[in-house]
Amino acid sequence: MSAFKYFQEEWTPVINQYLEEYLASEVDDQKISQIMAYSVMAGGKRLRPLLFLATLNALGKEITTTEVRIACGIELIHTYSLIHDDLPAMDNDDYRRGKLTSHKKWGEAEAILAGDALLPMGIQWIAEGSNSAKLVAIITQAVGPNGMVGGQYLDIDSTNNASVAGDAKFINRMEWLKTGCLIQASVEMAAVYAKASQVEQVKLVGFAKVFGRSYQIYDDLVDVVETSEEAGKATHKDQEEGKNNTLTLLGIDRSRQELRDLIKQAQDDLHGLNGEVLAGFLALYQKVL
Amino acid sequence: MSAFKYFQEEWTPVINQYLEEYLASEVDDQKISQIMAYSVMAGGKRLRPLLFLATLNALGKEITTTEVRIACGIELIHTYSLIHDDLPAMDNDDYRRGKLTSHKKWGEAEAILAGDALLPMGIQWIAEGSNSAKLVAIITQAVGPNGMVGGQYLDIDSTNNASVAGDAKFINRMEWLKTGCLIQASVEMAAVYAKASQVEQVKLVGFAKVFGRSYQIYDDLVDVVETSEEAGKATHKDQEEGKNNTLTLLGIDRSRQELRDLIKQAQDDLHGLNGEVLAGFLALYQKVL
C-alpha cells in the first residue's frame, strides 16, 4: 500500500467521526444540525482536510485532535460552497454524490441557512484549533470575493456568454478562484501553522497552486468521462448549460495532456520535501487519464 | 449636543468612508464590488460598528484605522445578513431602506453571492484588524448556527406555526439569536480587544445583552408605529405574514413598557463605567415610546 493510501485510510475515518460528533454536539438546534450534517456526511473524499493534514505530515508536525478540528473546519466551508452552488438560482442541481441536494431535500430557505451556518462554524473551528488570526486571514481571503465566491460570480456572469467562451485567460482565472484558492489555502494554512521554513513554504505553495489548477481540469474531465451513475451527479451538464471551462476550450485530449504536464510539475515542486504522502494525491487523477 | 450625538457625528462618516474606500480597493472584480457596495452603502445607521467603537471609548482605548477596520468588518457581516434575509426563499422583500433589495436590483444568484462574499470579508477585516483568534471565535459563534443563522432558521421554521405563537420562551430565544447575538458580540469583541478588566467585561456584556434584547423590541415596534415611508421598507408586514415576535405576543402597550424597563436596566449596567456615549444609544428608542 502506498504512503498516501495508508495515510488516507488512517485519517479519513478520523475526519468523518470528528465531523459527525461535533456537528451533533456543538449545534444546539437539532433540526438545523441535521440539515447541516446531511450535506457534510454525504460521502465526500475529504480531499481538503486530508491535504491540510498531509502537509503537516510532510513538515513532521504531529496530528492531534486540535489539528483535526482545523482540518474539519475546512471541510465545513467546502460543504457550504457545494450547498450554495447547487441552489436553484445558481447551478440548480437536484442531486449531488447520488443524494438529493440540500434544497431538494429540506427546502430552499433551509439550504441557504445551512450554508450560512457552515461557513462561520468552519472558520470558528479553524480559529479555535489554530489560535491564529493569520490562518483566519488566509481562509477568509481564499473563500471571499477575491477567491471562491469571486470565481462563482464570474461563472454565473459568464455562462452562455459567447465572448468569453474562447478566452483562456478568463477561464483559467475563474477556475482558479472557484477551486484552486481553497485547495491552496488548505496547504498554506498547514505551512503557516507548522511554522515551515521560507523554502518549505515556497515549495508547498508551488505544489498547492499546481495541484489546485490540475484538480479543476480533473473535475471537468470527470464530468464527461464518467457516467452519471459513477459520478453521483448529473454529468455532461456543463456543456449543455453553456458553461465555459478548460475542457470546452481545449477538448478532452488536450485537457488530458495539460493534466499530465501539471502532475509532472507538482511532483517537481515536492522535490526535497518529505512529500511522499502529498505526491500520492496526484494518483487520484489516473481514472480520467 | 450629547456625548453620544457628538460621538456618532464624529465616527459615522469615518465608518462610511472606510467602507466605501476599501470595498472598492480590496475587491478585484468591479462588478461584484459594486453589488456588495450597493447594499453596504444603502444608508444604515452603523449601529454595530458604532457600538464597537463606543465600547472602546468607554474603556479609554484610542481609535485608529486599525479599530475602524474591525468595526467595519462587523458592518459587512450585518449587511450580508440583511441581503440573505430579504431573498425570495426567506422574507421575500422588495425594498429595504427605501431602495430595491439586492436580489431585485441585481438578481438572485448575485444577491446570494454578494452575501457569501461579505461574510468572509467581514471576518477577514476583524482578523486582520485585531490579530486575535479570540475575536474571530466570538464573531463566528455569534453569527453561526447557535447565533444569528440559528435564529433565522427558527423564524423560518416557526412562521405560521400556531403552536409557538404564544410561547414567550421560544420567541425570546429566536429574537435573541436573530439580533441580540451580533449586538452582544460587537460589545464583547471591544471588551476583549481593549483588555477590559473582569468587572468591566461583566458590566459591558450585561449592558450588551439588555441592549440587544431591547433593540429587537424596538425594531418590531418600528414595524407598526412608523409608516412604510419612514421606515423605508414594507411595514405591518410581520403580522400579515404570521411572524411571531414579542409584539404579537404582548401587544403594543406592554411591548413599550418592556422596552422602558429594559432601558432602565441597561442604564444600571453601565453604572461605574465611563459609559456616557454607550448610554446614549438608548435614546434611539424614544421615537417608538
Side-chain angles (χ1 to χ4, degrees):
Chain A
M1 188 152 54
S2 74
F4 168 73
K5 268 275 170 213
Y6 187 86
F7 189 86
Q8 186 182 32
E9 292 190 7
E10 180 178 6
W11 291 105
T12 306
V14 174
I15 292 166
N16 286 332
Q17 200 191 326
Y18 190 96
L19 287 167
E20 189 163 22
E21 185 175 337
Y22 289 91
L23 274 175
S25 68
E26 293 189 11
V27 178
D28 298 338
D29 185 275
Q30 286 197 11
K31 279 192 279 184
I32 193 168
S33 173
Q34 186 185 14
I35 298 172
M36 293 162 79
Y38 173 82
S39 296
V40 173
M41 304 312 293
K45 295 180 296 290
R46 313 305 185 200
L47 180 78
R48 292 154 193 81
L50 284 170
L51 258 181
F52 176 81
L53 296 178
T55 307
L56 295 183
N57 172 277
L59 294 164
K61 175 94 187 164
E62 198 197 353
I63 299 171
T64 72
T65 312
T66 305
E67 288 75 29
V68 172
R69 186 169 181 82
I70 303 171
C72 289
I74 305 172
E75 188 69 6
L76 296 187
I77 294 168
H78 172 58
T79 306
Y80 129 74
S81 77
L82 300 181
I83 294 174
H84 279 200
D85 284 1
D86 289 336
L87 287 169
M90 313 285 278
D91 290 354
N92 194 23
D93 276 312
D94 292 351
Y95 289 92
R96 174 173 294 273
R97 293 167 180 166
K99 290 175 70 177
L100 285 173
T101 46
S102 183
H103 64 274
K104 292 300 278 187
K105 173 81 178 174
W106 306 102
E108 197 176 337
E110 287 78 358
I112 293 170
L113 291 173
D116 286 350
L118 287 165
L119 173 57
M121 193 163 189
I123 299 171
Q124 181 199 330
W125 286 11
I126 292 168
E128 290 172 347
S130 69
N131 195 27
S132 161
K134 174 70 184 155
L135 261 72
V136 173
I138 293 171
I139 189 71
T140 50
Q141 286 181 45
V143 302
N146 301 326
M148 192 171 70
V149 171
Q152 190 65 16
Y153 176 75
L154 291 180
D155 194 7
I156 292 286
D157 195 43
S158 68
T159 297
N160 286 317
N161 179 350
S163 75
V164 299
D167 184 343
K169 201 176 150 196
F170 175 87
I171 290 169
N172 278 350
R173 176 168 166 71
M174 176 184 78
E175 295 192 340
W176 171 255
L177 294 174
K178 275 180 69 177
T179 309
C181 278
L182 183 55
I183 287 176
Q184 181 185 328
S186 303
V187 172
E188 198 177 348
M189 283 193 289
V192 170
Y193 179 78
K195 299 186 174 57
S197 70
Q198 204 58 43
V199 172
E200 287 168 332
Q201 286 213 24
V202 170
K203 284 184 183 191
L204 285 166
V205 170
F207 166 80
K209 277 188 197 296
V210 177
F211 184 79
R213 168 83 185 118
S214 58
Y215 187 76
Q216 181 70 45
I217 298 174
Y218 159 77
D219 209 39
D220 291 338
L221 279 166
V222 167
D223 193 61
V224 296
V225 171
E226 291 195 337
T227 66
S228 176
E229 199 182 335
E230 282 167 347
K233 61 180 179 182
T235 50
H236 307 262
K237 206 178 157 230
D238 288 356
Q239 211 159 2
E240 282 163 26
E241 294 189 347
K243 291 272 183 191
N244 300 305
N245 58 42
T246 301
L247 192 65
T248 58
L249 188 68
L250 297 182
I252 293 184
D253 290 345
R254 284 177 59 204
S255 290
R256 280 182 164 141
Q257 189 52 51
E258 169 93 3
L259 185 53
R260 277 187 215 102
D261 293 344
L262 288 167
I263 291 173
K264 178 80 180 53
Q265 209 178 319
Q267 286 163 338
D268 290 348
D269 278 320
L270 292 175
H271 194 75
L273 282 175
N274 184 15
E276 207 188 340
V277 173
L278 275 179
F281 281 84
L282 301 164
L284 176 73
Y285 300 151
Q286 284 307 322
K287 69 175 179 182
V288 299
L289 287 179
Chain B
M1 188 153 52
S2 74
F4 168 73
K5 268 277 169 210
Y6 188 85
F7 190 86
Q8 185 183 34
E9 292 192 6
E10 180 178 6
W11 291 105
T12 306
V14 175
I15 292 166
N16 286 332
Q17 200 191 328
Y18 191 97
L19 288 166
E20 188 162 24
E21 184 175 338
Y22 289 92
L23 273 175
S25 69
E26 293 189 12
V27 178
D28 297 339
D29 185 275
Q30 287 197 10
K31 279 192 278 186
I32 193 168
S33 172
Q34 186 185 13
I35 298 171
M36 294 162 78
Y38 173 82
S39 296
V40 173
M41 304 312 295
K45 296 181 296 290
R46 312 307 184 199
L47 180 78
R48 292 154 192 81
L50 284 171
L51 258 182
F52 175 82
L53 296 178
T55 306
L56 296 183
N57 173 276
L59 294 163
K61 175 94 186 163
E62 197 196 352
I63 299 171
T64 72
T65 311
T66 305
E67 287 75 28
V68 172
R69 187 169 180 83
I70 303 171
C72 289
I74 305 172
E75 188 70 6
L76 297 186
I77 294 167
H78 171 59
T79 307
Y80 129 75
S81 77
L82 300 181
I83 294 174
H84 279 200
D85 283 2
D86 288 337
L87 287 169
M90 313 285 277
D91 291 352
N92 194 24
D93 276 312
D94 292 351
Y95 289 92
R96 175 174 293 273
R97 294 169 181 164
K99 291 175 71 179
L100 286 172
T101 47
S102 183
H103 64 275
K104 292 299 279 187
K105 172 82 177 175
W106 307 100
E108 197 176 337
E110 286 78 358
I112 293 170
L113 291 173
D116 286 352
L118 286 166
L119 173 57
M121 192 161 189
I123 299 171
Q124 180 198 329
W125 286 10
I126 292 168
E128 290 172 348
S130 69
N131 195 26
S132 161
K134 175 69 184 155
L135 261 72
V136 173
I138 292 171
I139 189 72
T140 50
Q141 286 181 45
V143 302
N146 301 327
M148 192 172 69
V149 171
Q152 190 65 16
Y153 176 75
L154 291 181
D155 194 8
I156 292 287
D157 196 44
S158 69
T159 297
N160 285 316
N161 179 351
S163 76
V164 298
D167 183 343
K169 201 175 149 194
F170 175 88
I171 290 170
N172 278 350
R173 177 168 165 71
M174 176 183 81
E175 295 193 340
W176 172 255
L177 294 174
K178 274 180 69 176
T179 308
C181 277
L182 182 55
I183 286 177
Q184 181 186 328
S186 303
V187 173
E188 198 178 347
M189 283 194 290
V192 170
Y193 179 77
K195 300 187 175 56
S197 71
Q198 204 58 43
V199 172
E200 288 168 332
Q201 286 212 25
V202 169
K203 285 185 183 190
L204 286 167
V205 170
F207 166 80
K209 277 190 198 295
V210 178
F211 185 79
R213 168 81 185 119
S214 57
Y215 188 75
Q216 182 70 45
I217 297 175
Y218 160 76
D219 209 37
D220 292 338
L221 279 167
V222 168
D223 193 59
V224 295
V225 171
E226 291 197 339
T227 66
S228 175
E229 198 183 338
E230 281 167 348
K233 62 181 178 181
T235 51
H236 307 261
K237 205 178 160 230
D238 287 357
Q239 209 158 4
E240 283 164 26
E241 294 188 346
K243 291 272 183 192
N244 299 305
N245 59 43
T246 301
L247 192 65
T248 57
L249 188 69
L250 297 183
I252 293 186
D253 290 344
R254 283 177 60 205
S255 289
R256 281 184 165 140
Q257 189 53 51
E258 169 93 2
L259 185 53
R260 276 186 216 103
D261 292 346
L262 288 167
I263 291 173
K264 178 80 180 55
Q265 210 177 315
Q267 285 164 339
D268 289 347
D269 278 322
L270 292 176
H271 194 75
L273 281 176
N274 183 15
E276 206 188 341
V277 173
L278 275 179
F281 281 84
L282 301 164
L284 177 71
Y285 300 151
Q286 285 307 323
K287 69 176 179 183
V288 299
L289 287 179

